[in-house]
Each structure stands twice: as C-alpha cells, then as structure tokens.
Amino acid sequence: MVLLDEKISEIKISKSNGTGEMNEEIILSIKDDESLDVFEKAITTAVKQPGEVKISEPDYDVMVEYEADEGGLPTHGMHLWLGKENEKSTLMYITDSSTVYLTSPKITKELRRLILSEE
C-alpha cells in the first residue's frame, strides 16, 4: 500500500460500520513515534492480493493523518480486518473496495498489541 511521502502525525482508529464509509467515533488515537512506525510499516509492507474480493465487514476504520503546513494534506482512510494471533491482517483503502492487502503475521502481532491493549 502507498502513503504520502510525508511525516505521519496521527493514526485514528474507530470500530468499523462497514465498507465504503468511515466511522468518526474514534476509540484510539496514536501519536507516539514508535506506534506510528508500526502502523506505517504495516501499511507500506502490506502486499496486494490478486483476484476478486469477498470479505466480511471490517473490524476497524483507520485514518492516517499527516503533518502539514497551511495547505493541509488529505487523510488516508482504510479498513482493517485484524488477524488473530499468528495470522495475517487485511487492509483495504476506503475508496477501493475491489483490492485488499495482507500484512505479515509479525505485523498482526504488533497491531494487536497496539489496538487491543487500548480497548
């Protein structure tokens, strides 16, 4: 998956209400550099999957916000299906419901640590 070539300032996470929309009720806001790095790595190393997408409703909505000057930068919106222990997680851009990306089980472990410890 691709992000802007800008510094991420915050990751906001909410329980998902379904594909194609973003739940604005934030349950977790991540701003520390170590946690931001985990999410950035999860997103940028996720591998695009071929074929038709048939998937359940997402677990979470993820909003990636960037540091910006007066002009402002867009927020990247994604859906996240958080994998179980030793499984891959699935990401999808909110604007593209026809393509999914998979993380590694190692990344899933880190995402679970960040998201589930805060719920």
mmCIF file of all heavy atoms in Angstrom, residues 12-26 58 60-65 75-80 92-95:
data_model
loop_
_atom_site.group_PDB
_atom_site.id
_atom_site.type_symbol
_atom_site.label_atom_id
_atom_site.label_comp_id
_atom_site.label_asym_id
_atom_site.label_seq_id
_atom_site.Cartn_x
_atom_site.Cartn_y
_atom_site.Cartn_z
ATOM 1 N N LYS A 12 -5.809 7.516 13.663
ATOM 2 C CA LYS A 12 -7.056 7.428 14.429
ATOM 3 C C LYS A 12 -7.751 6.129 14.051
ATOM 4 O O LYS A 12 -7.833 5.783 12.875
ATOM 5 C CB LYS A 12 -7.965 8.613 14.103
ATOM 6 C CG LYS A 12 -7.400 9.945 14.541
ATOM 7 C CD LYS A 12 -8.326 11.066 14.147
ATOM 8 C CE LYS A 12 -7.769 12.410 14.552
ATOM 9 N NZ LYS A 12 -8.642 13.509 14.070
ATOM 10 N N ILE A 13 -8.255 5.440 15.058
ATOM 11 C CA ILE A 13 -8.901 4.146 14.837
ATOM 12 C C ILE A 13 -10.304 4.176 15.428
ATOM 13 O O ILE A 13 -10.512 4.678 16.536
ATOM 14 C CB ILE A 13 -8.074 3.013 15.469
ATOM 15 C CG1 ILE A 13 -6.700 2.977 14.801
ATOM 16 C CG2 ILE A 13 -8.791 1.670 15.338
ATOM 17 C CD1 ILE A 13 -5.748 2.009 15.402
ATOM 18 N N SER A 14 -11.244 3.631 14.668
ATOM 19 C CA SER A 14 -12.619 3.514 15.143
ATOM 20 C C SER A 14 -13.148 2.131 14.778
ATOM 21 O O SER A 14 -12.605 1.463 13.897
ATOM 22 C CB SER A 14 -13.500 4.601 14.515
ATOM 23 O OG SER A 14 -13.470 4.496 13.104
ATOM 24 N N LYS A 15 -14.185 1.701 15.483
ATOM 25 C CA LYS A 15 -14.868 0.457 15.112
ATOM 26 C C LYS A 15 -15.548 0.705 13.775
ATOM 27 O O LYS A 15 -16.183 1.737 13.579
ATOM 28 C CB LYS A 15 -15.930 0.089 16.156
ATOM 29 C CG LYS A 15 -15.356 -0.311 17.493
ATOM 30 C CD LYS A 15 -14.924 -1.742 17.473
ATOM 31 C CE LYS A 15 -14.597 -2.204 18.899
ATOM 32 N NZ LYS A 15 -14.090 -3.567 18.900
ATOM 33 N N SER A 16 -15.435 -0.220 12.853
ATOM 34 C CA SER A 16 -15.995 -0.016 11.529
ATOM 35 C C SER A 16 -17.502 -0.243 11.495
ATOM 36 O O SER A 16 -18.019 -1.128 12.174
ATOM 37 C CB SER A 16 -15.325 -0.941 10.520
ATOM 38 O OG SER A 16 -15.807 -0.673 9.223
ATOM 39 N N ASN A 17 -18.187 0.556 10.690
ATOM 40 C CA ASN A 17 -19.619 0.378 10.444
ATOM 41 C C ASN A 17 -19.863 -0.296 9.104
ATOM 42 O O ASN A 17 -20.996 -0.407 8.670
ATOM 43 C CB ASN A 17 -20.340 1.733 10.466
ATOM 44 C CG ASN A 17 -20.384 2.335 11.853
ATOM 45 O OD1 ASN A 17 -20.392 1.627 12.849
ATOM 46 N ND2 ASN A 17 -20.390 3.650 11.922
ATOM 47 N N GLY A 18 -18.796 -0.709 8.429
ATOM 48 C CA GLY A 18 -18.943 -1.369 7.134
ATOM 49 C C GLY A 18 -18.053 -0.727 6.078
ATOM 50 O O GLY A 18 -17.524 0.361 6.272
ATOM 51 N N THR A 19 -17.898 -1.415 4.968
ATOM 52 C CA THR A 19 -17.023 -0.925 3.917
ATOM 53 C C THR A 19 -17.606 0.315 3.239
ATOM 54 O O THR A 19 -18.812 0.504 3.187
ATOM 55 C CB THR A 19 -16.766 -2.005 2.844
ATOM 56 O OG1 THR A 19 -18.024 -2.441 2.331
ATOM 57 C CG2 THR A 19 -16.005 -3.180 3.414
ATOM 58 N N GLY A 20 -16.698 1.151 2.752
ATOM 59 C CA GLY A 20 -17.090 2.329 1.995
ATOM 60 C C GLY A 20 -17.416 3.547 2.829
ATOM 61 O O GLY A 20 -17.660 4.615 2.291
ATOM 62 N N GLU A 21 -17.416 3.420 4.141
ATOM 63 C CA GLU A 21 -17.682 4.568 4.994
ATOM 64 C C GLU A 21 -16.714 4.582 6.164
ATOM 65 O O GLU A 21 -16.111 3.571 6.504
ATOM 66 C CB GLU A 21 -19.121 4.573 5.486
ATOM 67 C CG GLU A 21 -19.494 3.363 6.326
ATOM 68 C CD GLU A 21 -20.945 3.388 6.781
ATOM 69 O OE1 GLU A 21 -21.243 4.126 7.730
ATOM 70 O OE2 GLU A 21 -21.751 2.674 6.173
ATOM 71 N N MET A 22 -16.564 5.762 6.774
ATOM 72 C CA MET A 22 -15.634 5.936 7.875
ATOM 73 C C MET A 22 -16.408 6.309 9.129
ATOM 74 O O MET A 22 -17.171 7.270 9.127
ATOM 75 C CB MET A 22 -14.651 7.060 7.517
ATOM 76 C CG MET A 22 -13.588 7.311 8.528
ATOM 77 S SD MET A 22 -12.430 5.963 8.790
ATOM 78 C CE MET A 22 -11.560 5.918 7.251
ATOM 79 N N ASN A 23 -16.248 5.519 10.183
ATOM 80 C CA ASN A 23 -16.863 5.825 11.474
ATOM 81 C C ASN A 23 -16.038 6.925 12.131
ATOM 82 O O ASN A 23 -14.844 6.764 12.346
ATOM 83 C CB ASN A 23 -16.906 4.568 12.347
ATOM 84 C CG ASN A 23 -17.555 4.824 13.688
ATOM 85 O OD1 ASN A 23 -17.984 5.924 14.004
ATOM 86 N ND2 ASN A 23 -17.627 3.786 14.503
ATOM 87 N N GLU A 24 -16.677 8.036 12.455
ATOM 88 C CA GLU A 24 -15.977 9.191 13.039
ATOM 89 C C GLU A 24 -15.819 9.087 14.557
ATOM 90 O O GLU A 24 -15.190 9.946 15.164
ATOM 91 C CB GLU A 24 -16.720 10.484 12.682
ATOM 92 C CG GLU A 24 -16.836 10.735 11.185
ATOM 93 C CD GLU A 24 -15.533 11.153 10.533
ATOM 94 O OE1 GLU A 24 -14.674 11.747 11.220
ATOM 95 O OE2 GLU A 24 -15.365 10.880 9.332
ATOM 96 N N GLU A 25 -16.397 8.054 15.178
ATOM 97 C CA GLU A 25 -16.282 7.891 16.629
ATOM 98 C C GLU A 25 -14.963 7.189 16.959
ATOM 99 O O GLU A 25 -14.899 5.962 17.013
ATOM 100 C CB GLU A 25 -17.474 7.110 17.179
ATOM 101 C CG GLU A 25 -18.775 7.868 17.081
ATOM 102 C CD GLU A 25 -19.936 7.075 17.649
ATOM 103 O OE1 GLU A 25 -19.747 6.334 18.639
ATOM 104 O OE2 GLU A 25 -21.034 7.199 17.084
ATOM 105 N N ILE A 26 -13.945 7.971 17.207
ATOM 106 C CA ILE A 26 -12.584 7.474 17.421
ATOM 107 C C ILE A 26 -12.484 6.762 18.770
ATOM 108 O O ILE A 26 -12.898 7.303 19.799
ATOM 109 C CB ILE A 26 -11.572 8.641 17.376
ATOM 110 C CG1 ILE A 26 -11.728 9.463 16.092
ATOM 111 C CG2 ILE A 26 -10.152 8.141 17.567
ATOM 112 C CD1 ILE A 26 -11.601 8.688 14.820
ATOM 113 N N PRO A 58 -15.401 -5.090 7.904
ATOM 114 C CA PRO A 58 -14.125 -4.813 8.582
ATOM 115 C C PRO A 58 -14.291 -4.648 10.093
ATOM 116 O O PRO A 58 -15.371 -4.313 10.578
ATOM 117 C CB PRO A 58 -13.649 -3.515 7.939
ATOM 118 C CG PRO A 58 -14.823 -2.929 7.252
ATOM 119 C CD PRO A 58 -15.808 -4.011 7.014
ATOM 120 N N TYR A 60 -12.111 -2.534 11.913
ATOM 121 C CA TYR A 60 -11.757 -1.159 12.264
ATOM 122 C C TYR A 60 -11.644 -0.276 11.025
ATOM 123 O O TYR A 60 -11.373 -0.764 9.934
ATOM 124 C CB TYR A 60 -10.401 -1.121 12.992
ATOM 125 C CG TYR A 60 -10.387 -1.911 14.268
ATOM 126 C CD1 TYR A 60 -9.875 -3.202 14.298
ATOM 127 C CD2 TYR A 60 -10.887 -1.378 15.455
ATOM 128 C CE1 TYR A 60 -9.866 -3.946 15.464
ATOM 129 C CE2 TYR A 60 -10.885 -2.116 16.625
ATOM 130 C CZ TYR A 60 -10.369 -3.395 16.629
ATOM 131 O OH TYR A 60 -10.363 -4.131 17.773
ATOM 132 N N ASP A 61 -11.837 1.020 11.252
ATOM 133 C CA ASP A 61 -11.500 2.036 10.270
ATOM 134 C C ASP A 61 -10.245 2.726 10.770
ATOM 135 O O ASP A 61 -10.116 3.005 11.972
ATOM 136 C CB ASP A 61 -12.626 3.062 10.124
ATOM 137 C CG ASP A 61 -13.905 2.449 9.561
ATOM 138 O OD1 ASP A 61 -13.816 1.422 8.853
ATOM 139 O OD2 ASP A 61 -14.982 2.999 9.826
ATOM 140 N N VAL A 62 -9.328 2.996 9.857
ATOM 141 C CA VAL A 62 -8.051 3.615 10.204
ATOM 142 C C VAL A 62 -7.908 4.901 9.395
ATOM 143 O O VAL A 62 -8.074 4.892 8.184
ATOM 144 C CB VAL A 62 -6.875 2.660 9.877
ATOM 145 C CG1 VAL A 62 -5.542 3.324 10.176
ATOM 146 C CG2 VAL A 62 -7.014 1.352 10.645
ATOM 147 N N MET A 63 -7.627 6.000 10.079
ATOM 148 C CA MET A 63 -7.392 7.281 9.415
ATOM 149 C C MET A 63 -5.942 7.684 9.650
ATOM 150 O O MET A 63 -5.508 7.804 10.793
ATOM 151 C CB MET A 63 -8.327 8.350 9.966
ATOM 152 C CG MET A 63 -9.769 8.142 9.552
ATOM 153 S SD MET A 63 -10.913 9.148 10.508
ATOM 154 C CE MET A 63 -11.347 7.974 11.787
ATOM 155 N N VAL A 64 -5.212 7.868 8.561
ATOM 156 C CA VAL A 64 -3.815 8.282 8.635
ATOM 157 C C VAL A 64 -3.772 9.774 8.349
ATOM 158 O O VAL A 64 -4.158 10.224 7.268
ATOM 159 C CB VAL A 64 -2.955 7.520 7.601
ATOM 160 C CG1 VAL A 64 -1.509 7.975 7.679
ATOM 161 C CG2 VAL A 64 -3.068 6.016 7.805
ATOM 162 N N GLU A 65 -3.298 10.555 9.325
ATOM 163 C CA GLU A 65 -3.195 11.999 9.155
ATOM 164 C C GLU A 65 -1.723 12.389 9.108
ATOM 165 O O GLU A 65 -0.893 11.817 9.807
ATOM 166 C CB GLU A 65 -3.931 12.715 10.284
ATOM 167 C CG GLU A 65 -5.409 12.353 10.270
ATOM 168 C CD GLU A 65 -6.251 13.249 11.136
ATOM 169 O OE1 GLU A 65 -5.711 13.999 11.969
ATOM 170 O OE2 GLU A 65 -7.485 13.193 10.970
ATOM 171 N N THR A 75 -6.396 13.011 4.343
ATOM 172 C CA THR A 75 -6.331 11.896 5.281
ATOM 173 C C THR A 75 -6.524 10.620 4.483
ATOM 174 O O THR A 75 -7.390 10.549 3.632
ATOM 175 C CB THR A 75 -7.457 12.026 6.338
ATOM 176 O OG1 THR A 75 -7.241 13.216 7.082
ATOM 177 C CG2 THR A 75 -7.477 10.832 7.272
ATOM 178 N N HIS A 76 -5.675 9.631 4.736
ATOM 179 C CA HIS A 76 -5.845 8.320 4.101
ATOM 180 C C HIS A 76 -6.804 7.502 4.952
ATOM 181 O O HIS A 76 -6.560 7.288 6.135
ATOM 182 C CB HIS A 76 -4.499 7.581 4.018
ATOM 183 C CG HIS A 76 -3.810 7.731 2.714
ATOM 184 N ND1 HIS A 76 -2.606 8.362 2.590
ATOM 185 C CD2 HIS A 76 -4.162 7.329 1.474
ATOM 186 C CE1 HIS A 76 -2.238 8.337 1.316
ATOM 187 N NE2 HIS A 76 -3.169 7.728 0.624
ATOM 188 N N GLY A 77 -7.885 7.042 4.357
ATOM 189 C CA GLY A 77 -8.847 6.209 5.065
ATOM 190 C C GLY A 77 -8.731 4.765 4.619
ATOM 191 O O GLY A 77 -8.640 4.479 3.422
ATOM 192 N N MET A 78 -8.718 3.852 5.578
ATOM 193 C CA MET A 78 -8.583 2.421 5.289
ATOM 194 C C MET A 78 -9.482 1.618 6.205
ATOM 195 O O MET A 78 -9.846 2.072 7.277
ATOM 196 C CB MET A 78 -7.153 1.955 5.530
ATOM 197 C CG MET A 78 -6.136 2.714 4.780
ATOM 198 S SD MET A 78 -4.487 2.284 5.291
ATOM 199 C CE MET A 78 -3.649 3.612 4.484
ATOM 200 N N HIS A 79 -9.780 0.408 5.762
ATOM 201 C CA HIS A 79 -10.446 -0.567 6.611
ATOM 202 C C HIS A 79 -9.398 -1.588 7.045
ATOM 203 O O HIS A 79 -8.482 -1.903 6.287
ATOM 204 C CB HIS A 79 -11.555 -1.306 5.850
ATOM 205 C CG HIS A 79 -12.691 -0.436 5.428
ATOM 206 N ND1 HIS A 79 -13.408 0.352 6.305
ATOM 207 C CD2 HIS A 79 -13.251 -0.234 4.214
ATOM 208 C CE1 HIS A 79 -14.358 0.992 5.649
ATOM 209 N NE2 HIS A 79 -14.276 0.658 4.370
ATOM 210 N N LEU A 80 -9.559 -2.101 8.265
ATOM 211 C CA LEU A 80 -8.639 -3.100 8.803
ATOM 212 C C LEU A 80 -9.428 -4.284 9.339
ATOM 213 O O LEU A 80 -10.355 -4.118 10.130
ATOM 214 C CB LEU A 80 -7.795 -2.493 9.933
ATOM 215 C CG LEU A 80 -6.973 -3.466 10.778
ATOM 216 C CD1 LEU A 80 -5.885 -4.133 9.946
ATOM 217 C CD2 LEU A 80 -6.368 -2.751 11.978
ATOM 218 N N MET A 92 -7.648 -2.432 3.386
ATOM 219 C CA MET A 92 -8.291 -2.016 2.139
ATOM 220 C C MET A 92 -8.463 -0.503 2.190
ATOM 221 O O MET A 92 -8.879 0.039 3.221
ATOM 222 C CB MET A 92 -9.667 -2.686 2.025
ATOM 223 C CG MET A 92 -10.501 -2.208 0.853
ATOM 224 S SD MET A 92 -12.237 -2.739 0.973
ATOM 225 C CE MET A 92 -12.079 -4.485 0.683
ATOM 226 N N TYR A 93 -8.151 0.173 1.090
ATOM 227 C CA TYR A 93 -8.460 1.595 1.021
ATOM 228 C C TYR A 93 -9.982 1.769 1.031
ATOM 229 O O TYR A 93 -10.694 1.011 0.386
ATOM 230 C CB TYR A 93 -7.912 2.222 -0.275
ATOM 231 C CG TYR A 93 -6.415 2.313 -0.345
ATOM 232 C CD1 TYR A 93 -5.714 1.585 -1.291
ATOM 233 C CD2 TYR A 93 -5.705 3.151 0.507
ATOM 234 C CE1 TYR A 93 -4.325 1.674 -1.386
ATOM 235 C CE2 TYR A 93 -4.315 3.249 0.432
ATOM 236 C CZ TYR A 93 -3.634 2.513 -0.522
ATOM 237 O OH TYR A 93 -2.272 2.605 -0.612
ATOM 238 N N ILE A 94 -10.472 2.775 1.738
ATOM 239 C CA ILE A 94 -11.910 3.044 1.793
ATOM 240 C C ILE A 94 -12.461 3.267 0.380
ATOM 241 O O ILE A 94 -13.572 2.879 0.084
ATOM 242 C CB ILE A 94 -12.172 4.301 2.655
ATOM 243 C CG1 ILE A 94 -11.815 4.013 4.098
ATOM 244 C CG2 ILE A 94 -13.596 4.823 2.501
ATOM 245 C CD1 ILE A 94 -12.906 3.830 5.050
ATOM 246 N N THR A 95 -11.653 3.895 -0.464
ATOM 247 C CA THR A 95 -12.116 4.275 -1.800
ATOM 248 C C THR A 95 -11.984 3.161 -2.837
ATOM 249 O O THR A 95 -12.364 3.352 -3.985
ATOM 250 C CB THR A 95 -11.327 5.498 -2.295
ATOM 251 O OG1 THR A 95 -9.928 5.181 -2.243
ATOM 252 C CG2 THR A 95 -11.601 6.710 -1.431
#
